[in-house]
């Protein structure tokens, strides 16, 4: 898979998050601002919006849509135990790089320049230590990590619907880096659990479908985390 396809996954992932945000803004709310629909209905909005985005962005044919839908469903039902099972399918080298990225996404460092430098260092290690599909999995996930941190640092206040110049108690407590980790985990889980490795051998059409699966899992992961924090 060409590097530009893997690099663009993170950028398109951010665009997808904007689409989901616009869709969620329009759901019915109670007087107190709580969603007036069930969590299942909210998940359906997330799924429908994500599928529509990747279908248009990657010009997917109908045969690949079930793979994307499965990726989203898997992510929305993912828990700590099921993720651990998927994590154990990674190679030793992938697990080591995952651990380094996990630390970046969970420690107290909130300086974007520092965070991006640290992620770039992990990417360099991935290029030197991995190859083939193992490398594709990590580079796609790293692309998501790079871009999602920018997105959530810049946009978390609009998801809270508060003026960033007058931060509320919710805004102070909101963990935007946790959303980056949810994105990263979602991307990893999507490609490990989706049975989609064969797509990498299918040329440009397969690469786009594989990218759509990565993006969909990542986006669903972070949006669900955002909703759990907010609602």
């Amino acid at each position: 898979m060409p590097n530009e396809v893997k690099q663009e996954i993170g950028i398109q992932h951010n665009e997808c998050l904007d689409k989901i945000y616009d869709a969620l803004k329009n759901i019915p709310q109670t007087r107190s601002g709580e969603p007036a629909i069930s969590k299942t209905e909210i998940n359906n909005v997330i799924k429908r919006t994500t599928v529509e985005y990747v279908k248009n962005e990657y010009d997917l044919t109908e045969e690949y849509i079930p793979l994307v839908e499965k990726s989203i469903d898997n992510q929305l039902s993912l828990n700590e135990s099921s993720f651990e099972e998927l994590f154990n399918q990674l190679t030793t080298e992938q697990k080591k790089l995952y651990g380094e990225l996990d630390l970046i996404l969970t420690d107290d460092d909130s300086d974007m320049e520092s965070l991006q430098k640290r992620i770039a260092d992990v990417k360099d290690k991935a290029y030197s230590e991995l190859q083939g599909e193992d490398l594709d999995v990590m580079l796609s996930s790293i692309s998501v990590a790079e871009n999602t941190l920018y997105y959530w640092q810049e946009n978390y206040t609009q998801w809270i619907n508060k003026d960033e110049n007058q931060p509320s108690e919710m805004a102070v407590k909101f963990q935007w880096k946790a959303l980056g980790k949810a994105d990263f985990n979602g991307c990893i889980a999507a490609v490990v659990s989706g049975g989609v490795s064969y797509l990498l051998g299918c040329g440009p059409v397969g690469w786009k479908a594989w990218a759509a699966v990565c993006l969909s899992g990542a986006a669903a992961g972070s949006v669900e985390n955002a909703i759990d924090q907010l609602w």
Side-chain angles (χ1 to χ4, degrees):
M1 177 191 291
N3 285 335
E4 59 267 23
V5 175
K6 288 171 284 199
Q7 295 296 335
E8 288 173 0
I9 289 174
I11 298 170
Q12 291 154 346
H13 157 273
N14 287 8
E15 293 176 356
C16 185
L17 290 178
D18 277 334
K19 296 290 186 183
I20 297 172
Y21 172 75
D22 289 339
L24 291 176
K25 276 198 308 184
N26 296 320
I27 65 175
Q29 294 185 346
T30 64
R31 289 183 178 180
S32 62
E34 299 294 319
I37 61 176
S38 68
K39 181 67 178 297
T40 297
E41 291 172 308
I42 291 174
N43 285 347
N44 287 337
V45 172
I46 296 171
K47 182 176 179 179
R48 184 169 61 250
T49 306
T50 304
V51 169
E52 180 180 356
Y53 174 82
V54 298
K55 183 177 180 179
N56 293 332
E57 182 66 27
Y58 293 111
D59 194 26
L60 295 183
T61 59
E62 289 299 323
E63 67 180 297
Y64 294 117
I65 299 302
L67 295 176
V68 172
E69 292 177 335
K70 179 182 177 183
S71 172
I72 297 169
D73 289 339
N74 286 345
Q75 185 57 45
L76 293 175
S77 63
L78 192 69
N79 56 40
E80 186 174 342
S81 176
S82 56
F83 180 78
E84 185 176 349
E85 291 180 12
L86 297 174
F87 176 77
N88 287 332
Q89 296 180 40
L90 298 177
T91 66
T92 300
E93 292 78 9
Q94 286 176 315
K95 288 178 180 177
K96 181 171 70 69
L97 295 174
Y98 173 91
E100 294 182 24
L101 281 163
D102 185 68
L103 178 62
I104 294 169
L105 296 169
T106 54
D107 65 16
D108 293 332
D109 185 1
S110 60
D111 179 80
M112 188 58 64
E113 184 176 352
S114 170
L115 291 168
Q116 294 298 333
K117 170 64 168 60
R118 293 168 66 192
I119 292 173
D121 289 343
V122 177
K123 183 191 293 186
D124 288 341
K125 291 182 181 179
Y127 275 115
S128 64
E129 298 175 11
L130 302 174
Q131 58 184 347
E133 183 183 340
D134 291 348
L135 178 60
D136 288 336
V137 169
M138 292 309 299
L139 288 182
S140 299
S141 302
I142 290 170
S143 175
V144 166
E146 289 173 322
N147 287 279
T148 190
L149 289 179
Y150 278 123
Y151 180 88
W152 287 114
Q153 186 189 55
E154 293 178 5
N155 294 291
Y156 78 94
T157 50
Q158 76 174 12
W159 282 74
I160 303 172
N161 291 321
K162 297 294 182 183
D163 184 343
E164 62 181 353
N165 295 317
Q166 296 179 327
S168 65
E169 181 179 352
M170 174 70 75
V172 172
K173 292 182 177 180
F174 194 73
Q175 299 177 14
W176 57 269
K177 280 183 70 176
L179 303 179
K181 179 176 178 178
D183 275 317
F184 174 62
N185 282 357
C187 188
I188 291 282
V191 293
V192 173
S193 66
V196 295
S197 59
Y198 73 93
L199 294 171
L200 295 172
C202 296
V205 173
W207 300 336
K208 288 181 179 181
W210 194 85
V213 169
C214 293
L215 182 158
S216 299
S222 63
V223 171
E224 185 177 43
N225 188 296
I227 290 172
D228 286 345
Q229 287 197 54
L230 294 172
W231 298 331

